[in-house]
Amino acid sequence: MTVLGIRKATSGQNGVGAFILQCKRLDFHYCDWAGSSKGMNAFLRSSLAKFAAANPQVEMTVSPRPKKHPVIIGHYINGREKAICVRGLEPGQILKKAELLRDANGEKLKKVTKPVKSLNESVRGIWSPFHGGGIKV
Amino acid sequence: MKRIQLERWSGQLLSPRTRLCCLRQWNQSTPHIGSRRLQSGIGAEVSEVLEEEESIRPIRAGEFASPPPEAAARSAKLAALHARLALPKKLPLQTMARALVDLSADPDPQFNNTALSQVGGSLISAYVSEWLLCHYPRLPMTVLFAANYAYQGPSTLTKIGKEWGVETAAYPGSEVDPGLLQFNKLTPGSKVPSLGVSTRPDYAGFYRRGISSRVVYDDEFGDQIKFPEKDTVTEPVKQPTDMAYSNFVKAVVGSIYIHAGRSAARSFVHAHILSRHLAIGSLFQFKTPVRELARLCEREEFEFPVARILSETGRHSRSPVFVVGIFSGEDKLAEGAGPNLSEARVRAAVSALKAWYLYSPGSNTRVPSEMEEMGAKPWTPVHIDMGEIIH
């Protein structure tokens, strides 16, 4: 037995094989009294049922938050959450915000500069000064 | 080929919906949708038991260790999890809820996921092992064990369960949302309970536990299979989180198999477990690579491997680099770079050995379970390797 096996764990690549939507819960908070919740209340009455039926993989909860602005909070699989205040927005705009939260992956926003991110080693290898004829000075 | 009767299987595994006190509840609330769906498979059997036990047990609300089956139909978390995993519609939410109840939450085998995870674990093990054997036929046994562990070990299955967005309940009970993973958590810092005694016939300490005997007696990771001792059960079992998660993931595969069939379970395992990333080359740890390479060349009737220096820089400096190639006759097997000649030679030998061991017939290689599909093409034999170089 000259070779030993090292125990490791595989790493997931969401979307390779199976895709898991990263948003697991959306909380809709509204106020019955305040005017900033007018659009939210209309959204909850008219479009939420349709939105929820179209996205069965997301758990949706609706709860009042009296005397506060309406807010949508998304909870993500990585443990983070994102909240968007939707005060004074129209139902259509609120739907856009809900879709934005649904499609987010929960990570902090960061600038993507490289076009490709890979777990594999580079096929070409690391440049070596000892190969390829050398450089004439 | 004779097909396995899924209905009969599911009868064995799922009929245990006969917890008597529960049955009485179902009987009283007949119009309830969830309970009607549950009874559909085992209707006759259930009604008989009902009549017998009608006057024996009193009903007390909240006396169960796990949520009642009818709660599954009302749980938003559970429905969302079902949809998130894109599980087949044939798999009911009640079975999904049962997959989330661990042995430590509900010791009743008719209501926890033990049976489901046993089935699912065997399936995962079979599909992962055949995939590894067909795609990497030359892996040494120790590395094959490690690769199996990497794909389907408890730590990986825990990661998978968490990546599915499954959370744990703080404490199991009948009032808990059925969409949460329920188990009796092991308190941090306490000793992990022993699983029991080994099932090996040569359990006595003076026998050598070699690799060949692990293939025969031990599990897919080369670990001993433990069997609980007879007279132990006094305290409620506590479960480490990784075991609870891995039992859950196995139980999901098992329940897909039972409700939706073999091909659905197979594609689920391929999509969620075998699609994950693993650099198998990083699982090797060589003890004597130079010697092993020499033995390999001898066995394969190649010329004796010779290490030759290809280039070097800064021999007398603080950071010299040597590039050494290993040649068998005219053929360069591999090369390696290191800060001294012997290190470079060892790296070159390791590289040559990995190139040998990691041979793969290609990603399109067929595995035996593909023959179970209807209308499969005739089987072409896969590559079977001679085996390891030095045991």
Side-chain angles (χ1 to χ4, degrees):
Chain A
M1 189 171 57
T2 63
V3 193
L4 300 178
I6 301 170
R7 287 193 163 182
K8 293 189 173 180
T10 51
S11 47
Q13 321 171 77
N14 194 15
V16 180
F19 174 72
I20 305 285
L21 192 76
Q22 294 295 298
C23 177
K24 60 180 175 188
R25 196 172 93 207
L26 283 177
D27 294 342
F28 295 85
H29 294 287
Y30 66 97
C31 169
D32 279 328
W33 173 82
S36 63
S37 283
K38 196 181 160 198
M40 184 59 154
N41 292 346
F43 171 79
L44 294 181
R45 265 188 232 105
S46 60
S47 358
L48 181 65
K50 210 170 147 192
F51 180 69
N55 299 289
Q57 60 275 65
V58 185
E59 182 193 352
M60 313 239 177
T61 62
V62 180
S63 54
R65 213 169 68 120
K67 298 183 184 174
K68 297 255 172 38
H69 286 311
V71 67
I72 310 177
I73 305 175
H75 299 262
Y76 296 89
I77 283 177
N78 63 2
R80 296 180 61 88
E81 56 184 62
K82 284 187 180 184
I84 296 182
C85 179
V86 290
R87 66 171 187 271
L89 296 189
E90 299 295 315
Q93 292 170 308
I94 294 174
L95 182 65
K96 285 268 161 55
K97 294 291 182 195
E99 282 171 353
L100 189 146
L101 283 178
R102 177 202 64 192
D103 296 338
N105 62 1
E107 284 175 15
K108 278 188 173 180
L109 297 181
K110 54 190 166 193
K111 196 173 176 185
V112 180
T113 49
K114 299 269 171 66
V116 176
K117 203 173 115 184
S118 175
L119 293 167
N120 294 317
E121 282 177 24
S122 160
V123 177
R124 294 170 66 179
I126 301 166
W127 178 80
S128 157
F130 307 109
H131 299 85
I135 303 163
K136 277 193 179 176
V137 183
Chain B
M1 191 179 289
K2 197 181 172 189
R3 295 183 69 92
I4 294 176
Q5 300 267 327
L6 282 182
E7 293 74 22
R8 204 181 297 163
W9 268 79
S10 59
Q12 281 173 4
L13 285 155
L14 295 179
S15 67
R17 289 280 169 207
T18 46
R19 180 158 56 177
L20 300 175
C21 31
C22 249
L23 287 179
R24 283 167 54 97
Q25 282 186 340
W26 292 354
N27 193 28
Q28 284 164 357
S29 58
T30 324
H32 199 280
I33 301 165
S35 52
R36 205 166 44 201
R37 193 195 298 172
L38 267 176
Q39 286 185 346
S40 61
I42 46 165
E45 199 180 39
V46 166
S47 55
E48 281 172 21
V49 182
L50 271 176
E51 282 159 20
E52 278 177 23
E53 302 289 334
E54 191 68 35
S55 58
I56 299 174
R57 271 202 177 183
I59 314 163
R60 257 182 294 161
E63 84 175 309
F64 311 128
S66 54
E70 58 266 23
R74 295 194 301 268
S75 167
K77 269 191 205 309
L78 193 63
L81 177 65
H82 192 283
R84 198 179 302 137
L85 297 182
L87 295 176
K89 288 214 171 63
K90 286 179 193 165
L91 172 57
L93 287 174
Q94 283 81 1
T95 314
M96 197 62 199
R98 185 174 162 190
L100 281 157
V101 178
D102 189 74
L103 169 73
S104 58
D106 191 344
D108 189 341
Q110 303 176 334
F111 287 86
N112 62 32
N113 63 10
T114 317
L116 291 173
S117 70
Q118 185 71 41
V119 174
S122 312
L123 286 169
I124 295 175
S125 170
Y127 290 137
V128 170
S129 305
E130 70 168 9
W131 188 88
L132 281 171
L133 282 172
C134 291
H135 284 79
Y136 296 96
R138 280 185 188 156
L139 284 187
M141 214 47 222
T142 45
V143 179
L144 190 66
F145 283 146
N148 258 316
Y149 186 86
Y151 273 107
Q152 43 156 340
S155 52
T156 306
L157 295 187
T158 307
K159 278 171 88 177
I160 293 175
K162 286 184 176 165
E163 284 167 19
W164 287 350
V166 176
E167 293 162 14
T168 60
Y171 196 79
S174 61
E175 74 289 354
V176 170
D177 190 310
L180 297 171
L181 179 59
Q182 295 148 66
F183 64 103
N184 202 350
K185 291 182 181 179
L186 191 71
T187 328
S190 54
K191 205 179 154 195
V192 177
S194 140
L195 294 170
V197 290
S198 172
T199 51
R200 290 172 74 99
D202 57 349
Y203 183 53
F206 48 83
Y207 287 109
R208 181 172 161 268
R209 214 172 125 244
I211 292 296
S212 306
S213 75
R214 286 183 205 196
V215 176
V216 179
Y217 294 131
D218 294 349
D219 66 4
E220 59 268 48
F221 315 134
D223 292 336
Q224 294 188 49
I225 300 170
K226 297 287 178 67
F227 192 76
E229 287 173 88
K230 275 177 191 169
D231 45 347
T232 45
V233 192
T234 47
E235 291 179 19
V237 196
K238 295 212 168 190
Q239 189 81 294
T241 309
D242 61 340
M243 294 312 291
Y245 266 106
S246 70
N247 284 344
F248 157 64
V249 174
K250 288 175 188 172
V252 169
V253 175
S255 46
I256 293 174
Y257 175 73
I258 284 162
H259 287 283
R262 190 165 47 198
S263 66
R266 183 176 178 275
S267 55
F268 188 84
V269 169
H270 275 256
H272 285 91
I273 293 173
L274 284 170
S275 69
R276 294 169 67 85
H277 181 266
L278 175 69
I280 292 190
S282 67
L283 304 180
F284 286 83
Q285 188 184 5
F286 289 97
K287 275 186 183 168
T288 52
V290 179
R291 180 172 143 240
E292 192 165 344
L293 183 64
R295 293 295 300 272
L296 171 68
C297 289
E298 190 189 349
R299 191 185 81 180
E300 296 297 319
E301 297 176 353
F302 299 158
E303 285 185 42
F304 189 77
V306 180
R308 295 200 191 105
I309 187 162
L310 295 177
S311 65
E312 64 169 88
T313 182
R315 183 181 280 252
H316 299 295
S317 74
R318 186 174 164 279
S319 51
V321 177
F322 299 95
V323 177
V324 165
I326 290 212
F327 292 81
S328 167
E330 289 297 307
D331 303 324
K332 185 164 76 175
L333 301 180
E335 62 181 57
N340 54 51
L341 284 169
S342 58
E343 175 72 24
R345 184 181 63 147
V346 166
R347 287 187 184 212
V350 165
S351 167
L353 283 172
K354 278 190 186 173
W356 172 264
Y357 278 135
L358 289 174
Y359 160 74
S360 174
S363 55
N364 294 329
T365 314
R366 296 175 78 199
V367 291
S369 64
E370 283 177 32
M371 292 304 292
E372 292 168 348
E373 308 291 326
M374 297 298 278
K377 286 181 197 163
W379 176 249
T380 45
V382 290
H383 178 91
I384 307 262
D385 194 61
M386 277 178 80
E388 286 157 54
I389 301 164
I390 306 175
H391 288 281

